[in-house]
Amino acid sequence: MKASVYYSKNDIRYQDIEQPEIGDGDILIKMKSCGLCGTDIHKAQHQTVTGPIILGHEVAGEVVKIGKNVIRYGVGERVVTAIHVPCFNCHYCDRGYFTMCDQFKKTNLEPGGFSEYIRIPQLHVEHLTHRIIPELDWDRAAMIEPVACCLHGLKSANIHAKDSVLVMGSGTIGLVSAQLAALKGASTVIVSDLSRYKRELALKLGINHAINPAEEDLEQRVSEITAGKGVDVVIIAAGVSSLVTQAVNVVRRGGRVIVFSPFDNNPVVEIDASRLFRDEISIIGTYSLTPYEMKEAIEIVEKEKINVRDMITHTWPLSDMHEAIEFAANPANDVLKVIIKAEE
Ligand SMILES: [Zn+2]
Ligand SMILES: [Zn+2]
């Protein structure tokens, strides 16, 4: 079978690899659509992973083989899945921090999402895999995993009706989070992004305000929009750590800053720490998703409670991954979500 194998930044090969063998509780799927995630782009461009490795985790595909103990799925069914499964039985899991479980990152799809066929191990079959309705096309199905990640982040945001929410960064995670914030009752949703294309897309998706932080004073604009109060919630969905400084300045008393972005390159920032005690603000990190968010994400995407259709701007064949990553990573391009397709 074919897979797209990452060796290094400029060396991604579309090559033949061994098709995974499945165990009694596993299933094998033919990949139909796999989203190119910001983290895939980050790993490839900044070489934070060592090749050879097959990236990709936003997977939708058709079951082509089942292990002899699998009763829940049959050949020909359309499913989605995700990559990490917690143990449900450790210090972290007991306290609800499933993504911090030691088992979490050790569990994986084989060989990864950017592959013609993918083995879904038994644990993933049991906890993360779900059927999708026939009306849902493969590309939108591949959006379920990032929607689940955003739902996970929004749990900590604890959004109430009539809240105001600022989302810094209008990539896929930013625009999904912004739409989910509105779905959860926020009445004022603001996004900020340097890209005119992404700001226009945000407005088209129903976001109330889209600010260009290079041309407008973000803190002043937020103050105007919220009558001087500041926003109830800030969600950081761009890999620029100095945004934390700014987020702390624009959140209202008692508000929450949700950090949903890797800051590997420049992790140290200054914040006005007096706001933590005096103003009871919270800064909360969020990472990945748990099995509990997958079903809700499926419901939201299947029933079109948010618009993921218009967020998918490009599809790319699995054979041209390098080109897809270069294109998606270039801020000059009008691109939001890229979906990778295996050959039919
Ligand atoms: Zn992702
Ligand atoms: Zn655990």
Side-chain angles (χ1 to χ4, degrees), residues 94 100 167 203 206 247 266 318:
D94 284 349
M100 297 295 108
V167 181
L203 295 173
N266 47 351
L318 184 61

Side-chain angles (χ1 to χ4, degrees), residues 104-181:
F104 195 70
K105 282 195 192 175
K106 290 177 190 154
T107 53
N108 246 310
L109 301 172
E110 183 193 355
F114 298 135
S115 172
E116 207 178 351
Y117 293 92
I118 302 163
R119 178 177 75 92
I120 304 184
Q122 184 174 346
L123 277 177
H124 296 69
V125 173
E126 285 169 3
H127 298 291
L128 281 178
T129 307
H130 300 274
R131 265 181 286 276
I132 49 168
I133 55 169
E135 295 78 18
L136 185 67
D137 60 72
W138 292 115
D139 294 352
R140 280 186 296 143
M143 294 292 284
I144 288 169
E145 196 271 356
V147 169
C149 287
C150 295
L151 282 171
H152 182 67
L154 279 181
K155 278 186 180 166
S156 318
N158 194 16
I159 289 171
H160 292 80
K162 306 247 172 101
D163 271 359
S164 55
V165 177
L166 167 67
V167 181
M168 301 172 115
S170 303
T172 301
I173 293 299
L175 292 184
V176 168
S177 297
Q179 290 190 75
L180 288 175

